[in-house]
Amino acid sequence: DPSNGAETGRWKTPIDISSGSLALDPSGNSLWVASNQSPQVIQMSFTGTELKRFDSAAQNVTGSISGIDFDANGKLLVSTYYNVVYRIDPSFSPLRWVARSTSVLQSQFPVLLSVKDVESVRQKAIEFWSTAGLPIELVTRLQAVTIQIVTMQNGYLGLASRDGIFLDDDGSGVGWDVNTDNNAMSSGVDLLTVVLHEMGHVLGLDDKEDADSGSLMFDALEIGERRRPTFHDIDEAMAGMK
């Protein structure tokens, strides 16, 4: 209690804080916790329940975290021991790349994304969402969302929130497969799957860290792996409209 210094609650954090930092959420109803031991930044309730976490490295934060705070626009400021302050958006969820076959990785030749590739795959992704049963008002949202090509740290393929999508320029160094033919052999990270996943975030769907790895919203993707939206994804998106 800031008025008298009395302890009103105590709980264990899910990460080793070590030399860490706390920040009050702009809403005033939760705390954000960071540590110099991890790039993870975690939102927690005042009773110790974890509400959200995100990986600051996915937004190119480099170095151990030394402090966090929010600016006037609700963006999170993260300082590091490299004497750099980053402004990041805690609403963005990253999609990670995972390798389960080093022989496949060694055979890849990176393909850089072009705006033409992205727009072609966007239209195909919207077709998949529409065919799965997405209502027209949400299809319109996907048609209007901004997709940008950026350079992300290796290990990350894309970022998205309800407001926009960012795609790594070279598929985390592995290379993008921009072919939208379901029957074609994949020669890189399937761009269509990544765009479909990120569109899920635009529709309000959360990552499924503990779900079956075949789920569209599972938060990691292998080379050559393809996923598509199902009626379960549509149900969740429509539930978010209510």
Side-chain angles (χ1 to χ4, degrees):
D1 185 340
S3 65
N4 57 23
E7 180 177 311
T8 60
R10 177 184 294 230
W11 32 266
K12 182 177 178 62
T13 58
I15 57 173
D16 179 8
I17 291 181
S18 185
S19 177
S21 181
L22 292 173
L24 180 66
D25 189 82
S27 68
N29 61 12
S30 61
L31 291 171
W32 290 83
V33 182
S35 166
N36 69 338
Q37 302 295 304
S38 168
Q40 300 288 323
V41 182
I42 301 174
Q43 183 184 21
M44 304 195 73
S45 72
F46 292 127
T47 58
T49 300
E50 182 176 325
L51 303 175
K52 180 182 176 66
R53 73 167 62 199
F54 70 93
D55 190 342
S56 64
Q59 297 189 47
N60 290 339
V61 173
T62 303
S64 298
I65 296 175
S66 59
I68 57 173
D69 200 356
F70 284 89
D71 68 12
N73 296 317
K75 295 295 189 296
L76 190 62
L77 302 175
V78 177
S79 63
T80 72
Y81 285 102
Y82 287 173
N83 297 323
V84 178
V85 177
Y86 299 84
R87 181 181 288 109
I88 62 178
D89 190 336
S91 69
F92 278 94
S93 298
L95 176 61
R96 299 176 291 113
W97 166 73
V98 292
R100 298 201 175 114
S101 173
T102 55
S103 61
V104 173
L105 174 60
Q106 291 168 355
S107 70
Q108 300 309 306
F109 184 83
V111 176
L112 290 175
L113 274 186
S114 69
V115 173
K116 181 179 179 181
D117 291 330
V118 170
E119 288 307 311
S120 175
V121 170
R122 178 212 290 265
Q123 296 310 313
K124 191 67 174 180
I126 290 173
E127 287 181 25
F128 272 104
W129 278 109
S130 181
T131 301
L134 194 70
I136 186 62
E137 56 266 42
L138 293 182
V139 171
T140 301
R141 182 184 299 177
L142 297 182
Q143 291 170 333
V145 70
T146 300
I147 303 179
Q148 299 183 52
I149 301 170
V150 298
T151 300
M152 301 173 65
Q153 290 192 32
N154 281 347
Y156 301 97
L157 301 168
L159 284 168
S161 69
R162 290 187 180 227
D163 301 320
I165 294 172
F166 295 89
L167 300 173
D168 184 55
D169 55 359
D170 64 358
S172 194
V174 178
W176 289 107
D177 179 357
V178 299
N179 195 321
T180 58
D181 182 355
N182 270 338
N183 298 318
M185 292 294 293
S186 180
S187 59
V189 178
D190 185 41
L191 179 61
L192 180 55
T193 295
V194 174
V195 172
L196 286 166
H197 174 97
E198 304 304 354
M199 284 182 169
H201 289 307
V202 174
L203 297 172
L205 304 183
D206 294 324
D207 283 328
K208 299 184 182 301
E209 298 179 1
D210 300 322
D212 176 359
S213 61
S215 168
L216 176 64
M217 298 311 296
F218 188 67
D219 67 350
L221 186 69
E222 293 184 67
I223 294 174
E225 187 176 5
R226 288 189 169 93
R227 304 180 197 149
R228 303 296 181 251
T230 68
F231 67 91
H232 295 294
D233 300 310
I234 301 299
D235 288 345
E236 288 187 35
M238 293 180 67
M241 297 174 61
K242 299 176 182 179

